[in-house]
Amino acid sequence: MLDRRLFLANASLGLAGMVAGCKDPAVPLSIGAAAPALPLPDFYAEIEYRTFRYFRDTVNPLNGLVPERWPSPSAGSIAAVGCALTIWPIAVARGWIKRDLARDLTLATLRFFDSAPQGDDAEGMSGNRGFFYRMLDMKTGTRRGKAEISSVDHALLNMGMLFAAGWWTGDTPEEQEIRRLGVDIADRAEWLWMQNGGTAIARAWRPESGFGKEGVEGYGNGMAAVLLSLGSGRHPAEDGAWEAWCAPYVRYWRGEGETRHLAYGPLTGHQHSHMWIDFRGIRDTVMRGAGFDYHENSRRATYANRAYCISNPMKWDGYSADLWGIAESEGPGAFSLPFKGEKRTFYGYGPRGPLDQPGERDDGTIAATAALGSLPFASEIVIPAARALTAVPGLYREYGLLGGYNRSFRYTDQKVTTGNVSADNGWMARDYLALGQASVIIQAGNYRDEFVWKVMRKSPVLRRGLQRAGFTGGWLK
């Protein structure tokens, strides 16, 4: 059981008034050179701590599983587990949790996955061929419903395991076991099987239907999966996986000059792999030709996401220079309703992104944590956004920022199951989303002192994957 007395007491944070305005012509849309890193204001530490409590209070300490969302009933997300394995050491360093408790949580997690049942059966299994189902029952740890094996989610789990193996460097038997299991479990994934006879990594597999048609290719949230597949010490993918990933890039380029970047609508696609991989100064063949790295690409994408919200072509309420961040998020639900003289479509949980970008979908919903996940890329615009988002009435609560809000959805006569609707402030999500929560904490750790990046730069698995993908320069020298 977790001893709540081990944690710091929660401090209150006064909420300022709403930031108004949808389009500010005085705000420049140009990017320019990266701004010097700014010191984080005091209020940001409170955001981090509140957000950490999501993981502290929802984890099953017996197996390390973390729910995909809360307070709605939810299965455990393996991607969230990978994040939790990364967050426990951050919490130790910040004084939020004692080292021995973080160690015990980490070891319980790795021991569970070490012995979790694997096989072709559709029921009673936690995974197959070294991979784990995306969603697992919080108590039994076996497949939940018809959940698929997702190579992308599995990669985030493995990233957390490899980080744990690199951070827990003590000589005690417990820390030695963490190091052994962290690498060993990650190396069990049969990435050649996941290539399914081709070059691209398959995105999903189910026992009922086999591999899905979609591969992990084209810019987005799958970079970590391809790089881990190439770096595996036991079952690596064949050559060509990274080339297959890059092949569709021609359809992803947007902008000119200083705004040119590989676009992907949901902002989270520019963040998830970057939580563990320091792309600063290292480039593959494509980015050597482009003249900048993937870290700079995410900076430009962050600015593009904000610029879209400032221009606000669909005239939604609530978008502004400080209230922005369109990504995968919770939403009001499936509705087709009148808005400012037009029929508009709203959505529930799912990906969102600026129009004219891959993955485009804009229904007026802001993903509350999305901007904060870009802190290492563009702190000069993220810190003001964090201040504004925490000032939105009802959005910033016990565990930080809720999973989304929509100022335009003021339809109090509609039956909404995903949150609450106010005639004044619109729709507000009921749930917190684990991956959004994690991006706030992990990216703040990277921004403060490269907390995760400096450990992962030493990972043999990651280094092999980057080198096989053709990355050179920077810390890879």
Side-chain angles (χ1 to χ4, degrees), residues 380-434:
E380 67 278 7
I381 59 175
V382 170
I383 293 173
R387 192 183 302 274
L389 287 162
T390 55
V392 174
L395 185 62
Y396 182 52
R397 304 179 67 179
E398 180 183 9
Y399 296 132
L401 293 162
L402 290 168
Y405 82 102
N406 190 317
R407 284 285 308 280
S408 300
F409 196 96
R410 297 189 175 95
Y411 308 96
T412 56
D413 59 329
Q414 299 297 314
K415 184 178 180 181
V416 176
T417 61
T418 59
N420 300 302
V421 180
S422 162
D424 295 325
N425 298 315
W427 169 84
M428 193 76 59
R430 174 179 60 244
D431 288 343
Y432 304 89
L433 302 178

Side-chain angles (χ1 to χ4, degrees), residues 131 149-152 154-155 190-205 211-218 222-231 235-245 468:
F131 292 90
I149 284 178
S150 162
S151 58
V152 173
H154 181 85
E190 297 182 23
W191 288 103
L192 186 59
W193 172 72
M194 192 59 78
Q195 277 185 296
N196 191 28
T199 53
I201 302 299
R203 189 167 286 269
W205 177 88
F211 290 102
K213 295 181 179 180
E214 187 178 2
V216 184
E217 47 194 338
M223 298 177 78
V226 183
L227 292 171
L228 288 186
S229 78
L230 292 169
H235 303 290
E238 289 186 342
D239 291 342
W242 189 255
E243 288 74 15
W245 166 261
R468 284 192 67 195

Side-chain angles (χ1 to χ4, degrees), residues 55-174:
F55 294 87
R56 178 197 77 179
D57 291 354
T58 65
V59 65
N60 181 345
L62 300 178
N63 57 22
L65 294 180
V66 175
E68 182 186 44
R69 59 174 62 227
W70 191 90
S72 293
S74 171
S77 158
I78 63 168
V81 173
C83 293
L85 289 169
T86 308
I87 287 168
W88 303 138
I90 293 175
V92 172
R94 298 296 300 280
W96 300 332
I97 184 175
K98 287 187 176 179
R99 185 182 177 95
D100 60 352
L101 181 54
R103 179 203 63 210
D104 292 347
L105 283 169
T106 300
L107 199 50
T109 306
L110 294 175
R111 285 173 174 170
F112 162 72
F113 281 97
D114 179 47
S115 60
Q118 293 249 332
D120 293 333
D121 293 344
E123 297 181 2
M125 296 291 114
S126 299
N128 192 26
R129 293 179 178 259
F131 292 90
F132 295 94
Y133 287 105
R134 187 177 69 86
M135 304 294 284
L136 301 175
D137 185 276
M138 282 291 295
K139 293 183 178 179
T140 67
T142 55
R143 183 190 187 200
R144 179 73 173 267
K146 299 296 182 180
E148 76 277 18
I149 284 178
S150 162
S151 58
V152 173
D153 286 59
H154 181 85
L156 302 189
L157 171 65
N158 281 178
M159 281 293 190
M161 291 178 171
L162 293 173
F163 172 78
W167 192 84
W168 294 94
T169 59
D171 292 330
T172 65
E174 293 82 3

